[in-house]
Amino acid sequence: MIRGRRAAADFIIRTEQSERGHLVLLALGVLSAAYALSLQWYGWAVYLSVGNVFVNIYPIMLQRYTRCRIRAMLSRSSACP
Protein backbone atom coordinates (compact mmCIF):
# COMPACT_ATOMS: atom_id res chain seq x y z
CA MET A 1 0.00 0.00 0.00
CA ILE A 2 1.30 3.43 -0.91
CA ARG A 3 0.82 5.99 1.85
CA GLY A 4 1.75 9.48 0.78
CA ARG A 5 3.76 11.24 -1.89
CA ARG A 6 7.15 10.08 -0.60
CA ALA A 7 6.09 6.42 -0.64
CA ALA A 8 4.77 6.89 -4.18
CA ALA A 9 8.07 8.40 -5.32
CA ASP A 10 9.96 5.50 -3.71
CA PHE A 11 7.65 3.02 -5.40
CA ILE A 12 8.36 4.61 -8.79
CA ILE A 13 12.07 3.98 -8.21
CA ARG A 14 11.37 0.35 -7.30
CA THR A 15 9.32 -0.14 -10.48
CA GLU A 16 12.22 1.22 -12.55
CA GLN A 17 14.64 -1.19 -10.85
CA SER A 18 12.27 -4.09 -11.40
CA GLU A 19 11.86 -3.19 -15.06
CA ARG A 20 15.63 -3.10 -15.56
CA GLY A 21 15.93 -6.56 -14.04
CA HIS A 22 13.25 -7.92 -16.35
CA LEU A 23 14.95 -6.28 -19.35
CA VAL A 24 18.19 -8.11 -18.52
CA LEU A 25 16.30 -11.39 -18.14
CA LEU A 26 14.47 -10.68 -21.40
CA ALA A 27 17.78 -10.27 -23.22
CA LEU A 28 19.07 -13.54 -21.74
CA GLY A 29 15.85 -15.27 -22.73
CA VAL A 30 16.15 -14.02 -26.31
CA LEU A 31 19.74 -15.27 -26.45
CA SER A 32 18.67 -18.66 -25.09
CA ALA A 33 15.87 -18.95 -27.64
CA ALA A 34 18.21 -17.91 -30.46
CA TYR A 35 20.73 -20.53 -29.38
CA ALA A 36 18.02 -23.21 -29.29
CA LEU A 37 16.93 -22.08 -32.75
CA SER A 38 20.52 -22.31 -34.03
CA LEU A 39 20.64 -25.91 -32.80
CA GLN A 40 17.33 -26.52 -34.61
CA TRP A 41 15.55 -27.26 -31.35
CA TYR A 42 12.39 -25.59 -32.56
CA GLY A 43 10.21 -26.81 -29.72
CA TRP A 44 12.58 -25.40 -27.10
CA ALA A 45 12.93 -22.15 -29.03
CA VAL A 46 9.14 -21.70 -29.02
CA TYR A 47 8.89 -22.73 -25.37
CA LEU A 48 11.61 -20.25 -24.33
CA SER A 49 10.09 -17.46 -26.42
CA VAL A 50 6.56 -17.91 -25.06
CA GLY A 51 7.88 -18.22 -21.53
CA ASN A 52 9.90 -15.05 -22.01
CA VAL A 53 6.76 -13.14 -22.94
CA PHE A 54 4.93 -14.17 -19.77
CA VAL A 55 7.87 -13.96 -17.39
CA ASN A 56 9.46 -10.74 -18.70
CA ILE A 57 7.46 -8.75 -21.24
CA TYR A 58 4.22 -8.80 -19.25
CA PRO A 59 5.91 -7.57 -16.02
CA ILE A 60 7.77 -4.86 -17.96
CA MET A 61 4.50 -3.55 -19.38
CA LEU A 62 2.87 -3.79 -15.95
CA GLN A 63 5.69 -1.75 -14.35
CA ARG A 64 5.35 0.93 -17.02
CA TYR A 65 1.57 1.06 -16.58
CA THR A 66 1.93 1.31 -12.80
CA ARG A 67 4.46 4.14 -13.07
CA CYS A 68 2.17 6.02 -15.43
CA ARG A 69 -0.75 5.68 -13.02
CA ILE A 70 1.30 6.81 -10.02
CA ARG A 71 2.72 9.79 -11.88
CA ALA A 72 -0.78 10.81 -12.98
CA MET A 73 -2.00 10.50 -9.40
CA LEU A 74 0.90 12.63 -8.13
CA SER A 75 0.33 15.31 -10.74
CA ARG A 76 -3.39 15.51 -9.89
CA SER A 77 -2.77 15.75 -6.17
CA SER A 78 -0.16 18.51 -6.57
CA ALA A 79 -2.65 20.64 -8.52
CA CYS A 80 -5.18 20.54 -5.69
CA PRO A 81 -4.88 23.10 -2.87
Side-chain angles (χ1 to χ4, degrees):
M1 187 174 295
I2 299 174
R3 299 178 191 265
R5 295 179 64 76
R6 179 67 185 158
D10 291 341
F11 192 73
I12 287 175
I13 292 169
R14 286 198 308 268
T15 63
E16 291 168 346
Q17 293 169 343
S18 178
E19 182 181 344
R20 275 193 297 274
H22 280 286
L23 284 170
V24 169
L25 293 174
L26 176 67
L28 293 173
V30 168
L31 290 174
S32 297
Y35 182 68
L37 196 58
S38 74
L39 295 176
Q40 297 179 353
W41 293 353
Y42 302 116
W44 276 106
V46 169
Y47 176 75
L48 290 169
S49 297
V50 170
N52 212 9
V53 167
F54 290 113
V55 173
N56 293 309
I57 293 178
Y58 176 72
I60 288 169
M61 299 309 294
L62 184 62
Q63 297 299 329
R64 291 179 181 187
Y65 173 76
T66 302
R67 263 196 319 272
C68 180
R69 295 281 311 261
I70 291 172
R71 286 184 177 136
M73 178 196 64
L74 289 174
S75 68
R76 278 194 308 266
S77 65
S78 65
C80 298

XYZ file of all heavy atoms in Angstrom:
645
model
N 0.843 -1.164 0.000
C 0.000 0.000 0.000
C 0.895 1.236 0.000
O 1.881 1.298 0.731
C -0.903 -0.018 1.220
C -1.918 1.092 1.182
S -3.120 1.011 2.520
C -3.953 -0.499 2.126
N 0.537 2.188 -0.804
C 1.297 3.432 -0.912
C 0.616 4.475 -0.037
O -0.539 4.806 -0.245
C 1.374 3.899 -2.376
C 2.087 2.852 -3.213
C 2.060 5.243 -2.468
C 2.094 3.152 -4.678
N 1.366 4.990 0.918
C 0.819 5.986 1.846
C 1.616 7.271 1.713
O 2.666 7.408 2.308
C 0.909 5.483 3.278
C 0.130 4.230 3.517
C 0.322 3.777 4.956
N -0.186 2.454 5.152
C -1.399 2.177 5.604
N -2.230 3.145 5.886
N -1.777 0.934 5.772
N 1.139 8.172 0.894
C 1.753 9.481 0.776
C 2.616 9.645 -0.461
O 2.936 8.687 -1.172
N 2.991 10.884 -0.697
C 3.758 11.242 -1.887
C 5.161 10.635 -1.864
O 5.669 10.201 -2.878
C 3.841 12.758 -2.008
C 2.476 13.415 -2.243
C 2.569 14.920 -2.340
N 3.342 15.358 -3.478
C 2.920 15.349 -4.742
N 1.706 14.924 -5.019
N 3.687 15.774 -5.712
N 5.793 10.629 -0.701
C 7.154 10.083 -0.596
C 7.161 8.586 -0.909
O 8.023 8.093 -1.619
C 7.713 10.363 0.801
C 9.083 9.834 1.026
C 10.081 10.570 0.177
N 11.381 9.952 0.339
C 12.352 10.051 -0.522
N 12.205 10.789 -1.591
N 13.479 9.463 -0.311
N 6.197 7.857 -0.375
C 6.095 6.425 -0.642
C 5.827 6.171 -2.119
O 6.351 5.210 -2.697
C 4.999 5.803 0.212
N 5.047 7.030 -2.744
C 4.768 6.887 -4.175
C 6.034 7.114 -4.991
O 6.312 6.376 -5.937
C 3.676 7.852 -4.605
N 6.817 8.130 -4.615
C 8.073 8.400 -5.322
C 9.051 7.240 -5.144
O 9.739 6.841 -6.095
C 8.684 9.698 -4.820
N 9.103 6.669 -3.944
C 9.961 5.502 -3.707
C 9.499 4.304 -4.523
O 10.308 3.533 -5.034
C 9.981 5.143 -2.220
C 10.711 6.174 -1.376
O 11.500 6.964 -1.943
O 10.483 6.188 -0.150
N 8.193 4.149 -4.644
C 7.649 3.024 -5.404
C 7.976 3.161 -6.890
O 8.252 2.159 -7.560
C 6.140 2.910 -5.195
C 5.571 1.623 -5.697
C 5.793 0.441 -5.019
C 4.826 1.590 -6.856
C 5.281 -0.752 -5.488
C 4.307 0.410 -7.347
C 4.530 -0.774 -6.648
N 7.979 4.381 -7.393
C 8.360 4.606 -8.794
C 9.791 4.133 -9.022
O 10.082 3.474 -10.024
C 8.182 6.085 -9.181
C 6.695 6.410 -9.324
C 8.918 6.413 -10.474
C 6.389 7.864 -9.576
N 10.672 4.424 -8.095
C 12.068 3.984 -8.209
C 12.137 2.461 -8.212
O 12.869 1.860 -9.013
C 12.920 4.586 -7.073
C 13.035 6.095 -7.261
C 14.294 3.932 -7.016
C 13.624 6.827 -6.082
N 11.364 1.810 -7.345
C 11.370 0.348 -7.303
C 10.833 -0.256 -8.593
O 11.320 -1.297 -9.051
C 10.576 -0.145 -6.102
C 11.305 0.063 -4.794
C 10.755 -0.770 -3.664
N 9.324 -0.668 -3.467
C 8.723 0.195 -2.654
N 9.434 1.048 -1.963
N 7.411 0.181 -2.526
N 9.832 0.391 -9.215
C 9.319 -0.139 -10.482
C 10.370 -0.018 -11.580
O 10.473 -0.891 -12.440
C 8.024 0.556 -10.931
O 8.262 1.931 -11.178
C 6.915 0.374 -9.918
N 11.156 1.057 -11.558
C 12.223 1.220 -12.548
C 13.295 0.153 -12.367
O 13.795 -0.418 -13.343
C 12.834 2.615 -12.451
C 11.892 3.705 -12.910
C 12.356 5.100 -12.559
O 13.276 5.240 -11.719
O 11.789 6.060 -13.116
N 13.651 -0.149 -11.129
C 14.642 -1.189 -10.853
C 14.121 -2.556 -11.286
O 14.848 -3.352 -11.887
C 14.993 -1.206 -9.367
C 15.732 0.018 -8.902
C 15.827 0.111 -7.394
O 15.096 -0.551 -6.656
N 16.732 0.959 -6.920
N 12.869 -2.821 -11.001
C 12.267 -4.085 -11.399
C 12.232 -4.226 -12.913
O 12.509 -5.304 -13.459
C 10.859 -4.191 -10.822
O 10.246 -5.382 -11.226
N 11.895 -3.146 -13.590
C 11.859 -3.187 -15.059
C 13.238 -3.474 -15.634
O 13.381 -4.268 -16.560
C 11.320 -1.874 -15.615
C 11.223 -1.897 -17.132
C 10.705 -0.609 -17.718
O 10.135 0.224 -16.985
O 10.869 -0.438 -18.943
N 14.266 -2.836 -15.077
C 15.625 -3.098 -15.558
C 16.009 -4.564 -15.388
O 16.620 -5.169 -16.274
C 16.632 -2.206 -14.836
C 16.781 -0.847 -15.456
C 18.001 -0.110 -14.932
N 17.940 0.162 -13.508
C 17.354 1.213 -12.960
N 16.762 2.108 -13.724
N 17.358 1.378 -11.654
N 15.646 -5.141 -14.259
C 15.926 -6.558 -14.037
C 15.234 -7.436 -15.059
O 15.831 -8.384 -15.588
N 13.982 -7.137 -15.357
C 13.252 -7.924 -16.352
C 13.809 -7.703 -17.756
O 13.779 -8.623 -18.583
C 11.762 -7.611 -16.302
C 11.051 -8.323 -15.200
N 10.760 -9.660 -15.240
C 10.595 -7.880 -14.000
C 10.144 -10.015 -14.134
N 10.037 -8.944 -13.353
N 14.329 -6.510 -18.039
C 14.946 -6.280 -19.349
C 16.201 -7.127 -19.522
O 16.449 -7.674 -20.605
C 15.275 -4.793 -19.531
C 14.091 -3.891 -19.844
C 14.499 -2.426 -19.754
C 13.528 -4.203 -21.217
N 16.990 -7.257 -18.461
C 18.185 -8.107 -18.518
C 17.771 -9.558 -18.740
O 18.340 -10.260 -19.592
C 19.023 -7.956 -17.231
C 20.105 -9.022 -17.149
C 19.642 -6.571 -17.156
N 16.778 -10.009 -17.971
C 16.304 -11.386 -18.136
C 15.678 -11.612 -19.507
O 15.815 -12.694 -20.081
C 15.308 -11.725 -17.032
C 15.901 -11.786 -15.621
C 14.806 -11.971 -14.594
C 16.938 -12.881 -15.519
N 15.029 -10.590 -20.052
C 14.467 -10.682 -21.395
C 15.578 -10.897 -22.422
O 15.466 -11.753 -23.298
C 13.677 -9.415 -21.727
C 13.105 -9.308 -23.138
C 12.014 -10.341 -23.348
C 12.570 -7.911 -23.383
N 16.652 -10.125 -22.293
C 17.780 -10.269 -23.221
C 18.380 -11.674 -23.119
O 18.690 -12.303 -24.150
C 18.836 -9.208 -22.934
N 18.536 -12.181 -21.909
C 19.066 -13.535 -21.739
C 18.117 -14.582 -22.319
O 18.564 -15.572 -22.912
C 19.330 -13.813 -20.267
C 20.458 -12.999 -19.624
C 20.509 -13.248 -18.128
C 21.785 -13.311 -20.280
N 16.831 -14.352 -22.166
C 15.851 -15.275 -22.733
C 15.872 -15.276 -24.251
O 15.744 -16.330 -24.886
N 16.057 -14.099 -24.842
C 16.146 -14.017 -26.308
C 17.395 -14.749 -26.793
O 17.352 -15.484 -27.791
C 16.134 -12.540 -26.769
C 16.520 -12.415 -28.233
C 14.771 -11.928 -26.525
N 18.505 -14.556 -26.080
C 19.737 -15.266 -26.454
C 19.566 -16.779 -26.328
O 20.030 -17.532 -27.191
C 20.906 -14.792 -25.591
C 21.406 -13.384 -25.849
C 22.467 -13.003 -24.823
C 21.964 -13.269 -27.255
N 18.908 -17.227 -25.285
C 18.674 -18.663 -25.094
C 17.797 -19.226 -26.211
O 18.075 -20.304 -26.746
C 18.007 -18.919 -23.749
O 18.840 -18.512 -22.700
N 16.750 -18.494 -26.561
C 15.866 -18.952 -27.635
C 16.597 -18.960 -28.972
O 16.418 -19.875 -29.778
C 14.628 -18.065 -27.712
N 17.440 -17.958 -29.206
C 18.206 -17.910 -30.455
C 19.194 -19.075 -30.532
O 19.381 -19.669 -31.597
C 18.940 -16.580 -30.578
N 19.801 -19.401 -29.400
C 20.727 -20.533 -29.378
C 19.983 -21.842 -29.654
O 20.459 -22.679 -30.426
C 21.451 -20.597 -28.032
C 22.465 -21.704 -27.951
C 23.626 -21.664 -28.725
C 22.267 -22.791 -27.117
C 24.558 -22.688 -28.664
C 23.187 -23.816 -27.041
C 24.331 -23.758 -27.823
O 25.260 -24.767 -27.765
N 18.827 -22.015 -29.036
C 18.021 -23.210 -29.287
C 17.616 -23.280 -30.758
O 17.627 -24.355 -31.366
C 16.780 -23.213 -28.386
N 17.297 -22.124 -31.327
C 16.934 -22.080 -32.747
C 18.130 -22.450 -33.629
O 17.981 -23.166 -34.623
C 16.417 -20.687 -33.100
C 15.650 -20.515 -34.388
C 14.428 -21.415 -34.413
C 15.253 -19.065 -34.561
N 19.333 -21.985 -33.240
C 20.522 -22.314 -34.034
C 20.847 -23.804 -33.986
O 21.457 -24.340 -34.906
C 21.724 -21.498 -33.555
O 22.203 -21.990 -32.315
N 20.440 -24.460 -32.905
C 20.635 -25.913 -32.798
C 19.483 -26.693 -33.428
O 19.465 -27.916 -33.371
C 20.763 -26.316 -31.326
C 21.980 -25.785 -30.573
C 21.912 -26.194 -29.117
C 23.266 -26.279 -31.205
N 18.533 -25.965 -33.998
C 17.333 -26.520 -34.611
C 16.451 -27.252 -33.605
O 15.789 -28.233 -33.930
C 17.689 -27.423 -35.791
C 18.383 -26.680 -36.902
C 18.757 -27.555 -38.067
O 18.624 -28.781 -38.027
N 19.222 -26.916 -39.130
N 16.442 -26.754 -32.389
C 15.550 -27.257 -31.353
C 14.327 -26.346 -31.359
O 14.130 -25.513 -30.478
C 16.220 -27.235 -29.993
C 17.367 -28.182 -29.830
C 17.777 -29.133 -30.706
C 18.243 -28.254 -28.709
N 18.861 -29.797 -30.216
C 19.176 -29.277 -28.980
C 18.346 -27.562 -27.513
C 20.179 -29.616 -28.098
C 19.347 -27.904 -26.636
C 20.247 -28.926 -26.923
N 13.495 -26.511 -32.346
C 12.387 -25.593 -32.564
C 11.389 -25.592 -31.408
O 10.872 -24.539 -31.034
C 11.701 -25.912 -33.891
C 12.644 -25.826 -35.062
C 12.951 -26.948 -35.819
C 13.250 -24.626 -35.390
C 13.832 -26.865 -36.883
C 14.125 -24.531 -36.450
C 14.425 -25.661 -37.190
O 15.302 -25.569 -38.228
N 11.133 -26.736 -30.849
C 10.208 -26.813 -29.717
C 10.711 -26.004 -28.521
O 9.961 -25.254 -27.894
N 11.998 -26.155 -28.212
C 12.583 -25.397 -27.104
C 12.610 -23.906 -27.413
O 12.391 -23.077 -26.517
C 14.002 -25.883 -26.795
C 14.008 -27.080 -25.903
C 14.286 -28.359 -26.254
C 13.696 -27.104 -24.509
N 14.166 -29.181 -25.162
C 13.807 -28.429 -24.080
C 13.324 -26.132 -23.592
C 13.562 -28.811 -22.770
C 13.090 -26.510 -22.279
C 13.213 -27.835 -21.881
N 12.883 -23.563 -28.652
C 12.929 -22.152 -29.030
C 11.552 -21.505 -28.822
O 11.451 -20.399 -28.281
C 13.381 -21.991 -30.474
N 10.502 -22.206 -29.221
C 9.142 -21.696 -29.024
C 8.814 -21.634 -27.537
O 8.282 -20.629 -27.041
C 8.110 -22.568 -29.785
C 6.692 -22.219 -29.387
C 8.309 -22.423 -31.280
N 9.151 -22.679 -26.806
C 8.891 -22.734 -25.373
C 9.591 -21.574 -24.644
O 8.984 -20.895 -23.811
C 9.373 -24.083 -24.825
C 9.246 -24.226 -23.337
C 8.012 -24.451 -22.739
C 10.367 -24.154 -22.520
C 7.899 -24.582 -21.371
C 10.265 -24.284 -21.155
C 9.031 -24.508 -20.584
O 8.917 -24.631 -19.235
N 10.851 -21.335 -24.962
C 11.605 -20.249 -24.334
C 11.036 -18.881 -24.719
O 10.973 -17.972 -23.884
C 13.081 -20.338 -24.711
C 13.845 -21.512 -24.089
C 15.208 -21.661 -24.751
C 13.988 -21.331 -22.597
N 10.631 -18.743 -25.966
C 10.091 -17.459 -26.420
C 8.754 -17.142 -25.750
O 8.536 -16.023 -25.277
C 9.914 -17.461 -27.940
O 11.166 -17.618 -28.561
N 7.869 -18.122 -25.692
C 6.562 -17.911 -25.059
C 6.737 -17.661 -23.564
O 6.113 -16.763 -22.991
C 5.622 -19.107 -25.326
C 4.364 -19.031 -24.492
C 5.283 -19.181 -26.803
N 7.611 -18.427 -22.951
C 7.884 -18.219 -21.528
C 8.448 -16.843 -21.257
O 8.120 -16.202 -20.255
N 9.287 -16.377 -22.155
C 9.902 -15.055 -22.005
C 8.848 -13.953 -22.044
O 8.950 -12.965 -21.329
C 10.934 -14.852 -23.114
C 12.092 -14.003 -22.688
O 12.252 -13.665 -21.526
N 12.916 -13.654 -23.647
N 7.834 -14.138 -22.871
C 6.757 -13.143 -22.945
C 6.039 -13.043 -21.599
O 5.842 -11.946 -21.068
C 5.751 -13.499 -24.063
C 4.486 -12.676 -23.950
C 6.397 -13.309 -25.418
N 5.684 -14.184 -21.024
C 4.929 -14.168 -19.769
C 5.784 -13.769 -18.569
O 5.308 -13.078 -17.674
C 4.273 -15.532 -19.511
C 3.158 -15.829 -20.451
C 3.267 -16.837 -21.382
C 1.996 -15.089 -20.412
C 2.237 -17.113 -22.255
C 0.951 -15.343 -21.293
C 1.074 -16.362 -22.212
N 7.022 -14.195 -18.560
C 7.871 -13.957 -17.391
C 8.536 -12.589 -17.431
O 8.845 -12.033 -16.377
C 8.931 -15.080 -17.277
C 9.933 -14.800 -16.187
C 8.247 -16.414 -17.036
N 8.728 -12.013 -18.619
C 9.457 -10.745 -18.698
C 8.694 -9.612 -19.380
O 8.642 -8.504 -18.848
C 10.800 -10.956 -19.400
C 11.720 -11.804 -18.565
O 11.928 -11.528 -17.398
N 12.260 -12.859 -19.154
N 8.113 -9.854 -20.521
C 7.458 -8.751 -21.235
C 6.213 -8.273 -20.487
O 6.014 -7.071 -20.325
C 7.132 -9.145 -22.689
C 8.441 -9.320 -23.458
C 6.262 -8.093 -23.355
C 8.283 -9.758 -24.889
N 5.410 -9.200 -20.002
C 4.217 -8.796 -19.253
C 4.588 -7.971 -18.015
O 4.018 -6.900 -17.809
C 3.372 -10.014 -18.884
C 2.192 -9.657 -18.023
C 1.106 -8.973 -18.555
C 2.177 -9.973 -16.668
C 0.029 -8.623 -17.771
C 1.107 -9.622 -15.875
C 0.042 -8.951 -16.430
O -1.022 -8.602 -15.641
N 5.548 -8.401 -17.178
C 5.907 -7.569 -16.023
C 6.498 -6.213 -16.408
O 6.257 -5.222 -15.714
C 6.940 -8.408 -15.263
C 6.632 -9.804 -15.645
C 6.173 -9.728 -17.069
N 7.233 -6.145 -17.507
C 7.772 -4.858 -17.957
C 6.625 -3.909 -18.282
O 6.620 -2.745 -17.857
C 8.695 -5.044 -19.176
C 10.001 -5.708 -18.755
C 8.967 -3.708 -19.871
C 10.864 -6.170 -19.924
N 5.644 -4.393 -19.025
C 4.503 -3.545 -19.377
C 3.702 -3.164 -18.132
O 3.223 -2.037 -18.015
C 3.609 -4.253 -20.394
C 4.318 -4.582 -21.702
S 5.166 -3.186 -22.449
C 3.796 -2.148 -22.865
N 3.582 -4.079 -17.187
C 2.865 -3.794 -15.946
C 3.589 -2.715 -15.132
O 2.945 -1.821 -14.577
C 2.713 -5.075 -15.127
C 1.903 -4.966 -13.846
C 0.475 -4.550 -14.152
C 1.928 -6.302 -13.111
N 4.919 -2.770 -15.078
C 5.686 -1.750 -14.353
C 5.504 -0.382 -15.009
O 5.345 0.629 -14.318
C 7.170 -2.110 -14.307
C 7.489 -3.384 -13.578
C 7.087 -3.366 -12.134
O 7.082 -2.335 -11.476
N 6.732 -4.524 -11.616
N 5.527 -0.342 -16.319
C 5.347 0.933 -17.022
C 3.946 1.497 -16.782
O 3.772 2.698 -16.579
C 5.602 0.748 -18.517
C 7.053 0.477 -18.799
C 7.312 0.261 -20.260
N 8.731 -0.031 -20.458
C 9.293 -0.146 -21.628
N 8.569 -0.012 -22.728
N 10.579 -0.412 -21.723
N 2.952 0.630 -16.822
C 1.575 1.059 -16.577
C 1.430 1.593 -15.151
O 0.817 2.637 -14.930
C 0.626 -0.126 -16.805
C -0.796 0.145 -16.429
C -1.613 0.915 -17.239
C -1.331 -0.383 -15.251
C -2.929 1.163 -16.893
C -2.642 -0.133 -14.897
C -3.436 0.632 -15.720
O -4.735 0.881 -15.374
N 2.010 0.892 -14.202
C 1.929 1.311 -12.802
C 2.595 2.658 -12.598
O 2.050 3.535 -11.916
C 2.576 0.250 -11.896
O 1.909 -0.999 -12.089
C 2.507 0.645 -10.434
N 3.769 2.855 -13.191
C 4.459 4.143 -13.075
C 3.632 5.269 -13.660
O 3.542 6.352 -13.089
C 5.819 4.082 -13.787
C 6.948 3.812 -12.872
C 8.286 4.121 -13.492
N 8.460 3.743 -14.867
C 8.880 2.553 -15.275
N 9.167 1.614 -14.417
N 9.036 2.306 -16.554
N 3.018 5.011 -14.784
C 2.175 6.020 -15.429
C 1.005 6.394 -14.527
O 0.693 7.575 -14.358
C 1.677 5.493 -16.774
S 0.635 6.644 -17.671
N 0.372 5.406 -13.915
C -0.754 5.679 -13.020
C -0.316 6.462 -11.791
O -0.999 7.391 -11.358
C -1.404 4.366 -12.569
C -2.054 3.547 -13.656
C -3.411 4.073 -14.055
N -4.281 4.333 -12.961
C -5.245 3.539 -12.529
N -5.460 2.400 -13.129
N -6.003 3.889 -11.516
N 0.828 6.106 -11.217
C 1.299 6.806 -10.015
C 1.676 8.240 -10.355
O 1.343 9.171 -9.615
C 2.486 6.059 -9.375
C 1.999 4.736 -8.787
C 3.154 6.907 -8.293
C 3.111 3.845 -8.300
N 2.350 8.432 -11.486
C 2.720 9.793 -11.878
C 1.478 10.646 -12.138
O 1.443 11.823 -11.791
C 3.629 9.760 -13.096
C 5.023 9.312 -12.749
C 5.945 9.366 -13.933
N 7.287 8.992 -13.527
C 8.069 8.174 -14.199
N 7.652 7.657 -15.344
N 9.267 7.893 -13.757
N 0.466 10.064 -12.746
C -0.782 10.808 -12.978
C -1.441 11.168 -11.654
O -1.934 12.286 -11.478
C -1.731 9.983 -13.843
N -1.420 10.236 -10.713
C -1.998 10.497 -9.404
C -1.229 11.625 -8.696
O -1.829 12.521 -8.105
C -1.952 9.246 -8.544
C -2.491 9.434 -7.141
S -2.026 8.108 -6.020
C -0.268 8.289 -5.965
N 0.093 11.587 -8.777
C 0.900 12.626 -8.131
C 0.690 13.991 -8.765
O 0.650 14.997 -8.069
C 2.382 12.242 -8.179
C 2.808 11.095 -7.274
C 4.257 10.729 -7.529
C 2.577 11.430 -5.824
N 0.533 14.011 -10.084
C 0.331 15.305 -10.743
C -1.050 15.893 -10.424
O -1.199 17.097 -10.297
C 0.527 15.193 -12.249
O -0.499 14.432 -12.829
N -2.053 15.041 -10.279
C -3.390 15.512 -9.892
C -3.406 16.039 -8.462
O -3.980 17.070 -8.183
C -4.415 14.381 -10.001
C -4.926 14.158 -11.384
C -6.169 13.282 -11.359
N -5.984 12.044 -10.625
C -5.636 10.885 -11.163
N -5.406 10.811 -12.459
N -5.499 9.811 -10.435
N -2.718 15.337 -7.574
C -2.768 15.747 -6.168
C -1.967 17.004 -5.921
O -2.263 17.772 -5.021
C -2.276 14.614 -5.255
O -0.918 14.353 -5.504
N -0.942 17.278 -6.758
C -0.163 18.506 -6.567
C -0.932 19.725 -7.081
O -0.674 20.836 -6.644
C 1.190 18.400 -7.258
O 1.003 18.305 -8.659
N -1.875 19.524 -7.992
C -2.650 20.638 -8.522
C -3.753 21.071 -7.561
O -4.252 22.177 -7.644
C -3.254 20.263 -9.865
N -4.121 20.198 -6.650
C -5.179 20.540 -5.691
C -4.600 21.353 -4.529
O -3.488 21.108 -4.107
C -5.803 19.260 -5.138
S -6.593 18.274 -6.410
N -5.377 22.292 -4.008
C -4.884 23.099 -2.870
C -4.787 22.315 -1.584
O -5.334 21.331 -1.359
C -5.921 24.216 -2.753
C -7.100 23.801 -3.545
C -6.665 22.723 -4.467
